[in-house]
Amino acid sequence: EVLLVESGGGLVHPGGSLRLSCAASEFTFNSFGLNWIRQAPGKGLEWIAYVSSNGNTRFYADSVRGRFIISRDNAKNLVFLQMDSLRVDDTAVYFCARGRSLSSLYYFDYWGQGTLVTVAS
Amino acid sequence: SYDLTQPPSVSVSPGQAASITCSGDKLGGKSVCWYQQKPGQSPILVIYQDTKRPSGIPERFSGSNSGNTATLTISGTQAMDEADYFCQVWDTTSALFGGGTRLTVL
């Protein structure tokens, strides 16, 4: 069974930085794009970043572009989210999700359990 | 930017059919998927490419998409189906989610 396990969440002050990791197993890691999706407390889902299977292509939501960087290490089956200049409204559970592409649809077939990031003074 | 609109809540009696809608401009020309999320859990994919069910998803879950509206239908709704449901599309270089619908089975 595909497994995605996030780590690295915690409490950080506004303006601070945090690096999230997602460890993947039980699938051919370098064949799939990976994504970060977040959910603020009591709110809906917000996709924030995508990295292609080889790491060469990255997309970001407007809300995080220029502050967050997604990357991956295909040798270690890891995907990362470097988060800088954090704001209070970045507080959320951050999910790692595997992506699948089908015609014009890109969707998320497996999700991790999430890691909580709290930005507060 | 492209917006997806879902009703905040839907209620259904056990055994009845529940319909959850997702609206967007010319949504029928896009491919839609649906996720179920129970409290404290990660989302799971229940419908992709408008109508397809992933392995392990019960047959009572079905989807349709036409015009400006996609619909997730749960026939013979069970108490275990009580959850939040989110629609999602891919728009050029970003994924977009609807705001979510809380399904209450009462």
Side-chain angles (χ1 to χ4, degrees):
Chain A
E1 180 75 5
V2 168
L3 193 60
L4 299 165
V5 180
E6 302 93 336
S7 61
L11 174 63
V12 61
H13 295 308
S17 298
L18 211 55
R19 188 193 197 208
L20 305 183
S21 300
C22 172
S25 58
E26 303 306 322
F27 67 99
T28 305
F29 185 76
N30 60 10
S31 294
F32 291 87
L34 275 299
N35 300 263
W36 287 96
I37 296 163
R38 69 184 181 183
Q39 187 170 37
K43 302 297 185 182
L45 301 170
E46 180 189 17
W47 170 87
I48 56 171
Y50 156 88
V51 62
S52 62
S53 57
N54 61 10
N56 290 342
T57 300
R58 307 175 193 189
F59 301 136
Y60 297 95
D62 290 345
S63 58
V64 306
R65 187 176 296 112
R67 299 188 300 123
F68 291 9
I69 296 175
I70 188 171
S71 62
R72 63 189 295 161
D73 183 339
N74 282 353
K76 297 182 178 179
N77 287 12
L78 292 168
V79 61
F80 305 101
L81 186 68
Q82 177 64 41
M83 304 187 295
D84 297 325
S85 303
L86 281 162
R87 310 188 299 223
V88 172
D89 62 359
D90 292 318
T91 294
V93 174
Y94 285 73
F95 296 101
C96 172
R98 190 179 84 167
R100 297 295 300 272
S101 181
L102 192 63
S103 186
S104 63
L105 175 65
Y106 186 78
Y107 62 98
F108 313 107
D109 61 349
Y110 287 94
W111 299 59
Q113 85 289 348
T115 187
L116 176 62
V117 173
T118 302
V119 184
S121 53
Chain B
S1 64
Y2 194 81
D3 290 324
L4 296 173
T5 301
Q6 297 181 236
S9 63
V10 168
S11 297
V12 64
S13 300
Q16 299 301 110
S19 292
I20 299 171
T21 59
C22 176
S23 300
D25 186 45
K26 299 180 178 69
L27 185 58
K30 298 180 180 292
S31 197
V32 177
C33 61
W34 292 90
Y35 302 89
Q36 176 195 71
Q37 186 182 31
K38 296 181 179 180
Q41 298 183 17
S42 306
I44 63 169
L45 180 71
V46 294
I47 293 288
Y48 67 99
Q49 205 174 20
D50 298 336
T51 61
K52 296 181 167 64
R53 273 180 298 104
S55 173
I57 300 301
E59 290 184 8
R60 63 180 181 275
F61 288 86
S62 64
S64 64
N65 185 17
S66 179
N68 294 322
T69 304
T71 302
L72 172 70
T73 301
I74 309 170
S75 58
T77 308
Q78 300 182 11
M80 68 172 66
D81 300 327
E82 188 164 280
D84 294 328
Y85 291 85
F86 298 89
C87 58
Q88 180 246 315
V89 298
W90 181 257
D91 186 34
T92 311
T93 59
S94 63
L96 303 173
F97 288 95
T101 298
R102 174 148 299 177
L103 177 67
T104 301
V105 182
L106 36 75

PDB file of all heavy atoms in Angstrom, chain B residues 37-76:
ATOM      1  N   GLN B  37     -13.677  13.464   3.163  1.00  0.00           N
ATOM      2  CA  GLN B  37     -12.808  13.659   4.326  1.00  0.00           C
ATOM      3  C   GLN B  37     -13.635  13.569   5.594  1.00  0.00           C
ATOM      4  O   GLN B  37     -14.537  14.380   5.814  1.00  0.00           O
ATOM      5  CB  GLN B  37     -12.080  15.010   4.272  1.00  0.00           C
ATOM      6  CG  GLN B  37     -11.060  15.190   5.400  1.00  0.00           C
ATOM      7  CD  GLN B  37     -10.378  16.534   5.375  1.00  0.00           C
ATOM      8  OE1 GLN B  37     -10.944  17.546   4.951  1.00  0.00           O
ATOM      9  NE2 GLN B  37      -9.108  16.570   5.810  1.00  0.00           N
ATOM     10  N   LYS B  38     -13.306  12.597   6.432  1.00  0.00           N
ATOM     11  CA  LYS B  38     -13.955  12.461   7.732  1.00  0.00           C
ATOM     12  C   LYS B  38     -13.137  13.217   8.774  1.00  0.00           C
ATOM     13  O   LYS B  38     -11.932  13.440   8.584  1.00  0.00           O
ATOM     14  CB  LYS B  38     -14.105  10.983   8.087  1.00  0.00           C
ATOM     15  CG  LYS B  38     -15.025  10.248   7.117  1.00  0.00           C
ATOM     16  CD  LYS B  38     -15.204   8.799   7.466  1.00  0.00           C
ATOM     17  CE  LYS B  38     -16.150   8.144   6.459  1.00  0.00           C
ATOM     18  NZ  LYS B  38     -16.369   6.700   6.741  1.00  0.00           N
ATOM     19  N   PRO B  39     -13.777  13.615   9.877  1.00  0.00           N
ATOM     20  CA  PRO B  39     -13.092  14.431  10.886  1.00  0.00           C
ATOM     21  C   PRO B  39     -11.792  13.800  11.360  1.00  0.00           C
ATOM     22  O   PRO B  39     -11.752  12.613  11.699  1.00  0.00           O
ATOM     23  CB  PRO B  39     -14.117  14.509  12.018  1.00  0.00           C
ATOM     24  CG  PRO B  39     -15.432  14.370  11.328  1.00  0.00           C
ATOM     25  CD  PRO B  39     -15.201  13.401  10.208  1.00  0.00           C
ATOM     26  N   GLY B  40     -10.734  14.602  11.342  1.00  0.00           N
ATOM     27  CA  GLY B  40      -9.445  14.142  11.822  1.00  0.00           C
ATOM     28  C   GLY B  40      -8.696  13.232  10.874  1.00  0.00           C
ATOM     29  O   GLY B  40      -7.639  12.702  11.239  1.00  0.00           O
ATOM     30  N   GLN B  41      -9.233  13.016   9.677  1.00  0.00           N
ATOM     31  CA  GLN B  41      -8.591  12.106   8.721  1.00  0.00           C
ATOM     32  C   GLN B  41      -8.156  12.861   7.470  1.00  0.00           C
ATOM     33  O   GLN B  41      -8.577  13.976   7.206  1.00  0.00           O
ATOM     34  CB  GLN B  41      -9.537  10.970   8.348  1.00  0.00           C
ATOM     35  CG  GLN B  41      -9.942  10.093   9.519  1.00  0.00           C
ATOM     36  CD  GLN B  41     -10.819   8.927   9.086  1.00  0.00           C
ATOM     37  OE1 GLN B  41     -10.886   8.580   7.902  1.00  0.00           O
ATOM     38  NE2 GLN B  41     -11.491   8.309  10.042  1.00  0.00           N
ATOM     39  N   SER B  42      -7.317  12.194   6.687  1.00  0.00           N
ATOM     40  CA  SER B  42      -6.909  12.744   5.396  1.00  0.00           C
ATOM     41  C   SER B  42      -8.017  12.511   4.375  1.00  0.00           C
ATOM     42  O   SER B  42      -8.808  11.579   4.516  1.00  0.00           O
ATOM     43  CB  SER B  42      -5.635  12.057   4.917  1.00  0.00           C
ATOM     44  OG  SER B  42      -4.622  12.116   5.875  1.00  0.00           O
ATOM     45  N   PRO B  43      -8.070  13.338   3.346  1.00  0.00           N
ATOM     46  CA  PRO B  43      -9.042  13.095   2.274  1.00  0.00           C
ATOM     47  C   PRO B  43      -8.738  11.791   1.538  1.00  0.00           C
ATOM     48  O   PRO B  43      -7.577  11.362   1.462  1.00  0.00           O
ATOM     49  CB  PRO B  43      -8.823  14.291   1.336  1.00  0.00           C
ATOM     50  CG  PRO B  43      -8.203  15.344   2.182  1.00  0.00           C
ATOM     51  CD  PRO B  43      -7.336  14.590   3.150  1.00  0.00           C
ATOM     52  N   ILE B  44      -9.789  11.173   1.014  1.00  0.00           N
ATOM     53  CA  ILE B  44      -9.621  10.028   0.127  1.00  0.00           C
ATOM     54  C   ILE B  44     -10.389  10.296  -1.158  1.00  0.00           C
ATOM     55  O   ILE B  44     -11.439  10.946  -1.155  1.00  0.00           O
ATOM     56  CB  ILE B  44     -10.081   8.699   0.770  1.00  0.00           C
ATOM     57  CG1 ILE B  44     -11.572   8.717   1.087  1.00  0.00           C
ATOM     58  CG2 ILE B  44      -9.290   8.393   2.014  1.00  0.00           C
ATOM     59  CD1 ILE B  44     -12.099   7.349   1.471  1.00  0.00           C
ATOM     60  N   LEU B  45      -9.839   9.810  -2.247  1.00  0.00           N
ATOM     61  CA  LEU B  45     -10.446   9.994  -3.560  1.00  0.00           C
ATOM     62  C   LEU B  45     -11.621   9.043  -3.709  1.00  0.00           C
ATOM     63  O   LEU B  45     -11.462   7.832  -3.510  1.00  0.00           O
ATOM     64  CB  LEU B  45      -9.394   9.710  -4.633  1.00  0.00           C
ATOM     65  CG  LEU B  45      -9.803   9.836  -6.089  1.00  0.00           C
ATOM     66  CD1 LEU B  45     -10.027  11.296  -6.467  1.00  0.00           C
ATOM     67  CD2 LEU B  45      -8.749   9.199  -6.994  1.00  0.00           C
ATOM     68  N   VAL B  46     -12.798   9.579  -4.078  1.00  0.00           N
ATOM     69  CA  VAL B  46     -13.959   8.700  -4.264  1.00  0.00           C
ATOM     70  C   VAL B  46     -14.436   8.676  -5.717  1.00  0.00           C
ATOM     71  O   VAL B  46     -15.060   7.698  -6.141  1.00  0.00           O
ATOM     72  CB  VAL B  46     -15.128   9.071  -3.326  1.00  0.00           C
ATOM     73  CG1 VAL B  46     -14.758   8.824  -1.866  1.00  0.00           C
ATOM     74  CG2 VAL B  46     -15.584  10.510  -3.528  1.00  0.00           C
ATOM     75  N   ILE B  47     -14.188   9.730  -6.477  1.00  0.00           N
ATOM     76  CA  ILE B  47     -14.547   9.775  -7.900  1.00  0.00           C
ATOM     77  C   ILE B  47     -13.459  10.550  -8.645  1.00  0.00           C
ATOM     78  O   ILE B  47     -12.998  11.594  -8.166  1.00  0.00           O
ATOM     79  CB  ILE B  47     -15.891  10.470  -8.143  1.00  0.00           C
ATOM     80  CG1 ILE B  47     -17.054   9.653  -7.568  1.00  0.00           C
ATOM     81  CG2 ILE B  47     -16.129  10.751  -9.643  1.00  0.00           C
ATOM     82  CD1 ILE B  47     -17.390   8.372  -8.345  1.00  0.00           C
ATOM     83  N   TYR B  48     -13.043  10.058  -9.814  1.00  0.00           N
ATOM     84  CA  TYR B  48     -12.128  10.819 -10.663  1.00  0.00           C
ATOM     85  C   TYR B  48     -12.626  10.784 -12.103  1.00  0.00           C
ATOM     86  O   TYR B  48     -13.440   9.936 -12.471  1.00  0.00           O
ATOM     87  CB  TYR B  48     -10.687  10.303 -10.558  1.00  0.00           C
ATOM     88  CG  TYR B  48     -10.472   8.917 -11.114  1.00  0.00           C
ATOM     89  CD1 TYR B  48      -9.938   8.721 -12.387  1.00  0.00           C
ATOM     90  CD2 TYR B  48     -10.792   7.787 -10.365  1.00  0.00           C
ATOM     91  CE1 TYR B  48      -9.740   7.453 -12.891  1.00  0.00           C
ATOM     92  CE2 TYR B  48     -10.594   6.516 -10.863  1.00  0.00           C
ATOM     93  CZ  TYR B  48     -10.068   6.345 -12.122  1.00  0.00           C
ATOM     94  OH  TYR B  48      -9.869   5.087 -12.625  1.00  0.00           O
ATOM     95  N   GLN B  49     -12.157  11.696 -12.903  1.00  0.00           N
ATOM     96  CA  GLN B  49     -12.594  11.826 -14.292  1.00  0.00           C
ATOM     97  C   GLN B  49     -14.119  11.779 -14.408  1.00  0.00           C
ATOM     98  O   GLN B  49     -14.671  11.020 -15.213  1.00  0.00           O
ATOM     99  CB  GLN B  49     -11.952  10.747 -15.157  1.00  0.00           C
ATOM    100  CG  GLN B  49     -11.859  11.141 -16.627  1.00  0.00           C
ATOM    101  CD  GLN B  49     -11.096  10.130 -17.468  1.00  0.00           C
ATOM    102  OE1 GLN B  49     -10.935   8.970 -17.096  1.00  0.00           O
ATOM    103  NE2 GLN B  49     -10.600  10.587 -18.599  1.00  0.00           N
ATOM    104  N   ASP B  50     -14.748  12.569 -13.610  1.00  0.00           N
ATOM    105  CA  ASP B  50     -16.208  12.778 -13.580  1.00  0.00           C
ATOM    106  C   ASP B  50     -17.000  11.609 -13.019  1.00  0.00           C
ATOM    107  O   ASP B  50     -17.924  11.816 -12.231  1.00  0.00           O
ATOM    108  CB  ASP B  50     -16.745  13.080 -14.985  1.00  0.00           C
ATOM    109  CG  ASP B  50     -16.187  14.347 -15.580  1.00  0.00           C
ATOM    110  OD1 ASP B  50     -15.756  15.237 -14.818  1.00  0.00           O
ATOM    111  OD2 ASP B  50     -16.194  14.468 -16.817  1.00  0.00           O
ATOM    112  N   THR B  51     -16.698  10.389 -13.478  1.00  0.00           N
ATOM    113  CA  THR B  51     -17.585   9.262 -13.191  1.00  0.00           C
ATOM    114  C   THR B  51     -16.890   8.006 -12.666  1.00  0.00           C
ATOM    115  O   THR B  51     -17.575   7.056 -12.282  1.00  0.00           O
ATOM    116  CB  THR B  51     -18.346   8.857 -14.469  1.00  0.00           C
ATOM    117  OG1 THR B  51     -17.395   8.449 -15.459  1.00  0.00           O
ATOM    118  CG2 THR B  51     -19.178  10.014 -15.020  1.00  0.00           C
ATOM    119  N   LYS B  52     -15.567   7.965 -12.659  1.00  0.00           N
ATOM    120  CA  LYS B  52     -14.850   6.731 -12.327  1.00  0.00           C
ATOM    121  C   LYS B  52     -14.629   6.580 -10.830  1.00  0.00           C
ATOM    122  O   LYS B  52     -14.287   7.542 -10.139  1.00  0.00           O
ATOM    123  CB  LYS B  52     -13.518   6.684 -13.077  1.00  0.00           C
ATOM    124  CG  LYS B  52     -13.654   6.612 -14.594  1.00  0.00           C
ATOM    125  CD  LYS B  52     -12.294   6.534 -15.256  1.00  0.00           C
ATOM    126  CE  LYS B  52     -12.407   6.140 -16.717  1.00  0.00           C
ATOM    127  NZ  LYS B  52     -13.109   7.123 -17.529  1.00  0.00           N
ATOM    128  N   ARG B  53     -14.806   5.354 -10.366  1.00  0.00           N
ATOM    129  CA  ARG B  53     -14.560   5.047  -8.959  1.00  0.00           C
ATOM    130  C   ARG B  53     -13.228   4.326  -8.797  1.00  0.00           C
ATOM    131  O   ARG B  53     -12.997   3.322  -9.463  1.00  0.00           O
ATOM    132  CB  ARG B  53     -15.660   4.136  -8.410  1.00  0.00           C
ATOM    133  CG  ARG B  53     -16.877   4.843  -7.885  1.00  0.00           C
ATOM    134  CD  ARG B  53     -17.917   3.852  -7.369  1.00  0.00           C
ATOM    135  NE  ARG B  53     -18.414   2.957  -8.399  1.00  0.00           N
ATOM    136  CZ  ARG B  53     -18.071   1.691  -8.527  1.00  0.00           C
ATOM    137  NH1 ARG B  53     -17.217   1.144  -7.668  1.00  0.00           N
ATOM    138  NH2 ARG B  53     -18.583   0.949  -9.492  1.00  0.00           N
ATOM    139  N   PRO B  54     -12.378   4.815  -7.872  1.00  0.00           N
ATOM    140  CA  PRO B  54     -11.134   4.069  -7.602  1.00  0.00           C
ATOM    141  C   PRO B  54     -11.465   2.713  -6.977  1.00  0.00           C
ATOM    142  O   PRO B  54     -12.553   2.515  -6.426  1.00  0.00           O
ATOM    143  CB  PRO B  54     -10.401   4.962  -6.592  1.00  0.00           C
ATOM    144  CG  PRO B  54     -11.034   6.308  -6.717  1.00  0.00           C
ATOM    145  CD  PRO B  54     -12.449   6.056  -7.117  1.00  0.00           C
ATOM    146  N   SER B  55     -10.512   1.824  -7.054  1.00  0.00           N
ATOM    147  CA  SER B  55     -10.666   0.521  -6.422  1.00  0.00           C
ATOM    148  C   SER B  55     -10.944   0.691  -4.931  1.00  0.00           C
ATOM    149  O   SER B  55     -10.309   1.505  -4.251  1.00  0.00           O
ATOM    150  CB  SER B  55      -9.389  -0.284  -6.621  1.00  0.00           C
ATOM    151  OG  SER B  55      -9.425  -1.487  -5.896  1.00  0.00           O
ATOM    152  N   GLY B  56     -11.936  -0.049  -4.431  1.00  0.00           N
ATOM    153  CA  GLY B  56     -12.252   0.002  -3.014  1.00  0.00           C
ATOM    154  C   GLY B  56     -13.347   0.973  -2.641  1.00  0.00           C
ATOM    155  O   GLY B  56     -13.843   0.932  -1.505  1.00  0.00           O
ATOM    156  N   ILE B  57     -13.755   1.829  -3.569  1.00  0.00           N
ATOM    157  CA  ILE B  57     -14.850   2.759  -3.293  1.00  0.00           C
ATOM    158  C   ILE B  57     -16.171   2.072  -3.610  1.00  0.00           C
ATOM    159  O   ILE B  57     -16.342   1.528  -4.707  1.00  0.00           O
ATOM    160  CB  ILE B  57     -14.697   4.050  -4.106  1.00  0.00           C
ATOM    161  CG1 ILE B  57     -13.378   4.753  -3.753  1.00  0.00           C
ATOM    162  CG2 ILE B  57     -15.891   4.977  -3.886  1.00  0.00           C
ATOM    163  CD1 ILE B  57     -13.231   5.117  -2.297  1.00  0.00           C
ATOM    164  N   PRO B  58     -17.131   2.105  -2.678  1.00  0.00           N
ATOM    165  CA  PRO B  58     -18.403   1.393  -2.893  1.00  0.00           C
ATOM    166  C   PRO B  58     -19.159   1.880  -4.122  1.00  0.00           C
ATOM    167  O   PRO B  58     -19.078   3.056  -4.496  1.00  0.00           O
ATOM    168  CB  PRO B  58     -19.195   1.692  -1.610  1.00  0.00           C
ATOM    169  CG  PRO B  58     -18.151   2.008  -0.585  1.00  0.00           C
ATOM    170  CD  PRO B  58     -17.056   2.702  -1.330  1.00  0.00           C
ATOM    171  N   GLU B  59     -19.910   0.991  -4.710  1.00  0.00           N
ATOM    172  CA  GLU B  59     -20.674   1.315  -5.924  1.00  0.00           C
ATOM    173  C   GLU B  59     -21.733   2.386  -5.699  1.00  0.00           C
ATOM    174  O   GLU B  59     -22.217   2.995  -6.654  1.00  0.00           O
ATOM    175  CB  GLU B  59     -21.345   0.047  -6.464  1.00  0.00           C
ATOM    176  CG  GLU B  59     -20.378  -0.950  -7.052  1.00  0.00           C
ATOM    177  CD  GLU B  59     -21.095  -2.146  -7.675  1.00  0.00           C
ATOM    178  OE1 GLU B  59     -22.346  -2.109  -7.783  1.00  0.00           O
ATOM    179  OE2 GLU B  59     -20.417  -3.114  -8.047  1.00  0.00           O
ATOM    180  N   ARG B  60     -22.114   2.610  -4.431  1.00  0.00           N
ATOM    181  CA  ARG B  60     -23.143   3.613  -4.181  1.00  0.00           C
ATOM    182  C   ARG B  60     -22.662   5.031  -4.481  1.00  0.00           C
ATOM    183  O   ARG B  60     -23.460   5.956  -4.557  1.00  0.00           O
ATOM    184  CB  ARG B  60     -23.668   3.535  -2.741  1.00  0.00           C
ATOM    185  CG  ARG B  60     -22.643   3.832  -1.655  1.00  0.00           C
ATOM    186  CD  ARG B  60     -23.308   3.715  -0.274  1.00  0.00           C
ATOM    187  NE  ARG B  60     -22.396   4.003   0.816  1.00  0.00           N
ATOM    188  CZ  ARG B  60     -21.580   3.113   1.348  1.00  0.00           C
ATOM    189  NH1 ARG B  60     -21.586   1.872   0.894  1.00  0.00           N
ATOM    190  NH2 ARG B  60     -20.766   3.452   2.343  1.00  0.00           N
ATOM    191  N   PHE B  61     -21.358   5.217  -4.667  1.00  0.00           N
ATOM    192  CA  PHE B  61     -20.804   6.515  -5.045  1.00  0.00           C
ATOM    193  C   PHE B  61     -20.751   6.618  -6.572  1.00  0.00           C
ATOM    194  O   PHE B  61     -20.187   5.753  -7.244  1.00  0.00           O
ATOM    195  CB  PHE B  61     -19.398   6.710  -4.477  1.00  0.00           C
ATOM    196  CG  PHE B  61     -19.356   6.940  -3.006  1.00  0.00           C
ATOM    197  CD1 PHE B  61     -19.327   5.867  -2.127  1.00  0.00           C
ATOM    198  CD2 PHE B  61     -19.354   8.227  -2.483  1.00  0.00           C
ATOM    199  CE1 PHE B  61     -19.308   6.077  -0.751  1.00  0.00           C
ATOM    200  CE2 PHE B  61     -19.322   8.444  -1.116  1.00  0.00           C
ATOM    201  CZ  PHE B  61     -19.301   7.364  -0.252  1.00  0.00           C
ATOM    202  N   SER B  62     -21.349   7.678  -7.118  1.00  0.00           N
ATOM    203  CA  SER B  62     -21.303   7.899  -8.559  1.00  0.00           C
ATOM    204  C   SER B  62     -21.172   9.391  -8.838  1.00  0.00           C
ATOM    205  O   SER B  62     -21.451  10.221  -7.976  1.00  0.00           O
ATOM    206  CB  SER B  62     -22.551   7.334  -9.239  1.00  0.00           C
ATOM    207  OG  SER B  62     -23.708   8.014  -8.793  1.00  0.00           O
ATOM    208  N   GLY B  63     -20.765   9.718 -10.055  1.00  0.00           N
ATOM    209  CA  GLY B  63     -20.565  11.108 -10.405  1.00  0.00           C
ATOM    210  C   GLY B  63     -21.061  11.416 -11.797  1.00  0.00           C
ATOM    211  O   GLY B  63     -21.179  10.530 -12.645  1.00  0.00           O
ATOM    212  N   SER B  64     -21.361  12.685 -12.026  1.00  0.00           N
ATOM    213  CA  SER B  64     -21.745  13.146 -13.346  1.00  0.00           C
ATOM    214  C   SER B  64     -21.239  14.573 -13.509  1.00  0.00           C
ATOM    215  O   SER B  64     -20.905  15.244 -12.527  1.00  0.00           O
ATOM    216  CB  SER B  64     -23.257  13.088 -13.541  1.00  0.00           C
ATOM    217  OG  SER B  64     -23.908  13.972 -12.639  1.00  0.00           O
ATOM    218  N   ASN B  65     -21.189  15.020 -14.763  1.00  0.00           N
ATOM    219  CA  ASN B  65     -20.693  16.373 -15.014  1.00  0.00           C
ATOM    220  C   ASN B  65     -21.214  16.855 -16.357  1.00  0.00           C
ATOM    221  O   ASN B  65     -20.938  16.253 -17.400  1.00  0.00           O
ATOM    222  CB  ASN B  65     -19.155  16.386 -15.030  1.00  0.00           C
ATOM    223  CG  ASN B  65     -18.593  17.790 -15.167  1.00  0.00           C
ATOM    224  OD1 ASN B  65     -19.281  18.779 -14.955  1.00  0.00           O
ATOM    225  ND2 ASN B  65     -17.313  17.871 -15.523  1.00  0.00           N
ATOM    226  N   SER B  66     -21.979  17.949 -16.328  1.00  0.00           N
ATOM    227  CA  SER B  66     -22.555  18.479 -17.561  1.00  0.00           C
ATOM    228  C   SER B  66     -22.870  19.949 -17.376  1.00  0.00           C
ATOM    229  O   SER B  66     -23.208  20.378 -16.263  1.00  0.00           O
ATOM    230  CB  SER B  66     -23.832  17.707 -17.927  1.00  0.00           C
ATOM    231  OG  SER B  66     -24.419  18.217 -19.093  1.00  0.00           O
ATOM    232  N   GLY B  67     -22.740  20.704 -18.441  1.00  0.00           N
ATOM    233  CA  GLY B  67     -23.055  22.126 -18.356  1.00  0.00           C
ATOM    234  C   GLY B  67     -22.127  22.841 -17.391  1.00  0.00           C
ATOM    235  O   GLY B  67     -20.903  22.798 -17.544  1.00  0.00           O
ATOM    236  N   ASN B  68     -22.712  23.463 -16.390  1.00  0.00           N
ATOM    237  CA  ASN B  68     -21.920  24.166 -15.388  1.00  0.00           C
ATOM    238  C   ASN B  68     -21.851  23.445 -14.047  1.00  0.00           C
ATOM    239  O   ASN B  68     -21.347  24.012 -13.072  1.00  0.00           O
ATOM    240  CB  ASN B  68     -22.497  25.562 -15.153  1.00  0.00           C
ATOM    241  CG  ASN B  68     -22.375  26.466 -16.366  1.00  0.00           C
ATOM    242  OD1 ASN B  68     -21.375  26.428 -17.073  1.00  0.00           O
ATOM    243  ND2 ASN B  68     -23.417  27.247 -16.631  1.00  0.00           N
ATOM    244  N   THR B  69     -22.356  22.200 -13.998  1.00  0.00           N
ATOM    245  CA  THR B  69     -22.472  21.524 -12.705  1.00  0.00           C
ATOM    246  C   THR B  69     -22.016  20.070 -12.750  1.00  0.00           C
ATOM    247  O   THR B  69     -22.423  19.308 -13.619  1.00  0.00           O
ATOM    248  CB  THR B  69     -23.938  21.569 -12.219  1.00  0.00           C
ATOM    249  OG1 THR B  69     -24.383  22.932 -12.166  1.00  0.00           O
ATOM    250  CG2 THR B  69     -24.073  20.949 -10.836  1.00  0.00           C
ATOM    251  N   ALA B  70     -21.173  19.728 -11.780  1.00  0.00           N
ATOM    252  CA  ALA B  70     -20.817  18.334 -11.525  1.00  0.00           C
ATOM    253  C   ALA B  70     -21.555  17.899 -10.268  1.00  0.00           C
ATOM    254  O   ALA B  70     -21.763  18.702  -9.347  1.00  0.00           O
ATOM    255  CB  ALA B  70     -19.309  18.184 -11.339  1.00  0.00           C
ATOM    256  N   THR B  71     -21.945  16.634 -10.244  1.00  0.00           N
ATOM    257  CA  THR B  71     -22.712  16.125  -9.115  1.00  0.00           C
ATOM    258  C   THR B  71     -22.129  14.814  -8.608  1.00  0.00           C
ATOM    259  O   THR B  71     -21.867  13.905  -9.405  1.00  0.00           O
ATOM    260  CB  THR B  71     -24.185  15.902  -9.511  1.00  0.00           C
ATOM    261  OG1 THR B  71     -24.741  17.135  -9.992  1.00  0.00           O
ATOM    262  CG2 THR B  71     -25.010  15.439  -8.313  1.00  0.00           C
ATOM    263  N   LEU B  72     -21.966  14.742  -7.305  1.00  0.00           N
ATOM    264  CA  LEU B  72     -21.617  13.496  -6.636  1.00  0.00           C
ATOM    265  C   LEU B  72     -22.900  12.961  -6.023  1.00  0.00           C
ATOM    266  O   LEU B  72     -23.571  13.668  -5.265  1.00  0.00           O
ATOM    267  CB  LEU B  72     -20.569  13.739  -5.546  1.00  0.00           C
ATOM    268  CG  LEU B  72     -20.249  12.549  -4.632  1.00  0.00           C
ATOM    269  CD1 LEU B  72     -19.500  11.469  -5.418  1.00  0.00           C
ATOM    270  CD2 LEU B  72     -19.425  12.999  -3.429  1.00  0.00           C
ATOM    271  N   THR B  73     -23.236  11.728  -6.346  1.00  0.00           N
ATOM    272  CA  THR B  73     -24.440  11.106  -5.819  1.00  0.00           C
ATOM    273  C   THR B  73     -24.058   9.890  -4.990  1.00  0.00           C
ATOM    274  O   THR B  73     -23.240   9.071  -5.417  1.00  0.00           O
ATOM    275  CB  THR B  73     -25.386  10.682  -6.952  1.00  0.00           C
ATOM    276  OG1 THR B  73     -25.747  11.849  -7.724  1.00  0.00           O
ATOM    277  CG2 THR B  73     -26.654  10.057  -6.385  1.00  0.00           C
ATOM    278  N   ILE B  74     -24.640   9.814  -3.822  1.00  0.00           N
ATOM    279  CA  ILE B  74     -24.458   8.651  -2.967  1.00  0.00           C
ATOM    280  C   ILE B  74     -25.829   8.010  -2.825  1.00  0.00           C
ATOM    281  O   ILE B  74     -26.745   8.602  -2.230  1.00  0.00           O
ATOM    282  CB  ILE B  74     -23.897   9.034  -1.581  1.00  0.00           C
ATOM    283  CG1 ILE B  74     -22.651   9.913  -1.722  1.00  0.00           C
ATOM    284  CG2 ILE B  74     -23.558   7.782  -0.776  1.00  0.00           C
ATOM    285  CD1 ILE B  74     -22.173  10.521  -0.411  1.00  0.00           C
ATOM    286  N   SER B  75     -25.989   6.838  -3.412  1.00  0.00           N
ATOM    287  CA  SER B  75     -27.270   6.152  -3.330  1.00  0.00           C
ATOM    288  C   SER B  75     -27.272   5.249  -2.106  1.00  0.00           C
ATOM    289  O   SER B  75     -26.237   4.676  -1.738  1.00  0.00           O
ATOM    290  CB  SER B  75     -27.513   5.326  -4.600  1.00  0.00           C
ATOM    291  OG  SER B  75     -26.463   4.405  -4.780  1.00  0.00           O
ATOM    292  N   GLY B  76     -28.449   5.141  -1.464  1.00  0.00           N
ATOM    293  CA  GLY B  76     -28.503   4.314  -0.263  1.00  0.00           C
ATOM    294  C   GLY B  76     -27.504   4.789   0.786  1.00  0.00           C
ATOM    295  O   GLY B  76     -26.706   3.992   1.299  1.00  0.00           O
TER     296      GLY B  76
END
